[in-house]
Amino acid sequence: MTSRHPSPTSRVRALARTVPVGALGLILTAGAAWGQQAPATSPTSTATTKGEAANLSRPQKGTAAALLAIDAEYAEKLKGLDLGRLKQLQELAVGLKPKEAAAVYEQLFRSAIAADLFAQAEPAADAALKAGLPSPSCLALANLVKLIAECDRGDFDQSLKDLAALLARKADPKAEAGVVLSSAELLGVADSYYQRLVHAGRYDVATRAFQLVLEQADADDVRDYLGSRLNRLKLVGKPAPAIQGKDLDGRPFDLAALRGKVVLVVFWASWCLPSAAEITWLQEVYDADHARGFEIVGVNLDPLQDEQADVESYIPNVRRFALDYNLRWPNLMNRPGAGDVAKAYGVAEIPASVLIDRDGKVVGLDLVRKNLEPTVAKLVGP
């Protein structure tokens, strides 16, 4: 789900981000840039309008595996090239004068962030920090690489300690100004940190990280964003907010009626297209565990393109979309007021999902296939 709508309102602009502004995005913006929110990038190259979304050709199940295999092969080759680049840059940095070495290391860390190769770049980060290179920008990047690398090896508590130390240095008026990265880099690092924490079920660490950053954020829009994310994280362990209304075919739906079952709430939009592979594995989990008490409900966010528009006008296109993708679970339209499910669940970007246990409590956020399948299987039981 990576497409973005070309002319979103301010709220949809937040919802349409594929990588949200998060804790690391803020700690990177030191000095005069502290507290400034990274702007959303222009979505025009991949955008589809409401009318165009229904006319896109969707890969059928027979081609999904082939497409996935091609993508996997491409990704593996690209990773090999990226790893080779990191190795060459580290070899180049050895023996250079400190100022020149810092410039090379900075390029290495930026490349690692872009390629999501934090663990592989950690030795270079250790070397740069040990050398005490004369570049606040380089050292800040090295610290951030180590922060994510710690998550990669499961040392989440240490990553939180390091985040707290970084924030303390940023708050010190005597500290040197740090690095200001591009919006894409800021968002990429922030998303990497968040995804690692929530996919590992460390909602406690993620909550504390956002609280730490919120304490030092100045810009209103940044504070609003972080507050929304914290509200969502704080749902874990609490009763799930109500979801009531009618599905796309006019049938009544009430989440409370599903008490005693495990429910996955999926937030989506026709202008944020799901991949065929994602739909396939969701269907597989649904088919495997539905008989044992697993349900899925979709909440469509198309009306947030224009909060003044009539929600009913979006239903034909959304229904067509659901039919084209063979979505076999109930789908509701997000509506203003009491029907604003996205607001109730603190959803600030898509794709997003919430897992609810048999007791009606939130037990997971944004699960991916590797942890959704075993988590659902455990919750529904034998």
Side-chain angles (χ1 to χ4, degrees):
M1 299 185 181
T2 57
S3 296
R4 302 162 182 160
H5 192 270
S7 301
T9 63
S10 59
R11 186 169 178 200
V12 175
R13 187 174 294 110
L15 285 163
R17 290 181 185 132
T18 56
V19 281
V21 175
L24 295 184
L26 292 174
I27 67 172
L28 284 168
T29 53
W34 178 262
Q36 295 177 358
Q37 184 178 22
T41 54
S42 173
T44 54
S45 61
T46 59
T48 59
T49 65
K50 181 177 69 172
E52 291 169 341
N55 297 321
L56 293 175
S57 64
R58 279 107 178 181
Q60 300 301 311
K61 284 187 176 181
T63 64
L67 288 171
L68 193 60
I70 292 172
D71 287 344
E73 181 181 359
Y74 173 79
E76 190 63 26
K77 290 180 179 178
L78 185 59
K79 181 179 180 180
L81 290 173
D82 287 328
L83 287 171
R85 185 183 189 188
L86 297 185
K87 181 180 179 180
Q88 288 181 311
L89 288 169
Q90 186 163 10
E91 291 173 348
L92 176 61
V94 176
L96 292 177
K97 294 180 179 180
K99 186 175 181 179
E100 294 175 331
V104 174
Y105 274 122
E106 185 171 334
Q107 180 62 44
L108 187 155
F109 299 142
R110 290 179 185 275
S111 299
I113 290 170
D116 197 34
L117 296 174
F118 296 92
Q120 294 84 345
E122 188 177 15
D126 288 331
L129 292 170
K130 183 178 180 179
L133 299 175
S135 168
S137 178
C138 176
L139 297 180
L141 283 166
N143 276 295
L144 291 168
V145 165
K146 283 189 64 62
L147 193 70
I148 306 299
E150 288 165 351
C151 288
D152 282 340
R153 60 174 177 270
D155 199 351
F156 303 109
D157 293 322
Q158 184 59 47
S159 76
L160 181 58
K161 292 177 182 177
D162 289 346
L163 172 61
L166 278 171
L167 287 169
R169 288 201 293 272
K170 299 301 181 186
D172 184 355
K174 297 180 180 179
E176 294 183 85
V179 61
V180 179
L181 300 183
S182 70
S183 296
E185 289 168 327
L186 294 176
L187 297 174
V189 178
D191 188 59
S192 294
Y193 192 49
Y194 173 78
Q195 296 298 333
R196 282 160 170 81
L197 291 174
V198 299
H199 292 168
R202 292 306 304 267
Y203 305 108
D204 57 332
V205 176
T207 298
R208 183 58 185 146
F210 277 87
Q211 288 173 333
L212 286 171
V213 178
L214 185 59
E215 291 170 1
Q216 297 191 34
D218 296 324
D220 289 340
D221 53 353
V222 172
R223 294 184 62 84
D224 289 345
Y225 177 85
L226 290 173
S228 176
R229 178 58 65 83
L230 276 169
N231 287 339
R232 188 160 175 234
L233 286 166
K234 291 176 181 177
L235 287 174
V236 177
K238 305 287 182 60
I243 302 178
Q244 294 177 318
K246 294 183 178 181
D247 68 10
L248 296 178
D249 295 318
R251 294 178 296 235
F253 176 87
D254 188 346
L255 180 63
L258 297 180
R259 180 68 63 88
K261 296 187 176 183
V262 177
V263 183
L264 180 69
V265 184
V266 179
F267 294 88
W268 64 283
S270 64
W271 39 262
C272 184
L273 301 179
S275 69
E278 182 177 3
I279 291 295
T280 297
W281 69 256
L282 275 176
Q283 295 278 16
E284 290 173 353
V285 177
Y286 181 78
D287 292 340
D289 296 314
H290 179 62
R292 292 187 292 163
F294 176 57
E295 301 286 349
I296 298 178
V297 57
V299 178
N300 178 270
L301 304 180
D302 277 23
L304 291 180
Q305 296 177 58
D306 182 358
E307 294 178 328
Q308 303 302 315
D310 179 13
V311 174
E312 307 303 319
S313 67
Y314 289 94
I315 292 180
N317 178 63
V318 174
R319 184 185 289 116
R320 168 68 185 276
F321 190 95
L323 288 171
D324 285 346
Y325 275 105
N326 192 30
L327 302 183
R328 293 186 282 109
W329 43 79
N331 282 275
L332 285 70
M333 304 295 296
N334 196 72
R335 296 173 181 272
D340 196 337
V341 181
K343 183 177 181 180
Y345 280 80
V347 173
E349 79 291 323
I350 48 177
S353 63
V354 176
L355 186 64
I356 303 168
D357 68 9
R358 292 186 185 275
D359 295 325
K361 293 184 179 180
V362 174
V363 293
L365 302 174
D366 302 332
L367 284 83
V368 293
R369 182 171 191 171
K370 67 179 181 181
N371 53 5
L372 176 64
E373 290 177 314
T375 302
V376 170
K378 181 179 180 180
L379 290 172
V380 298

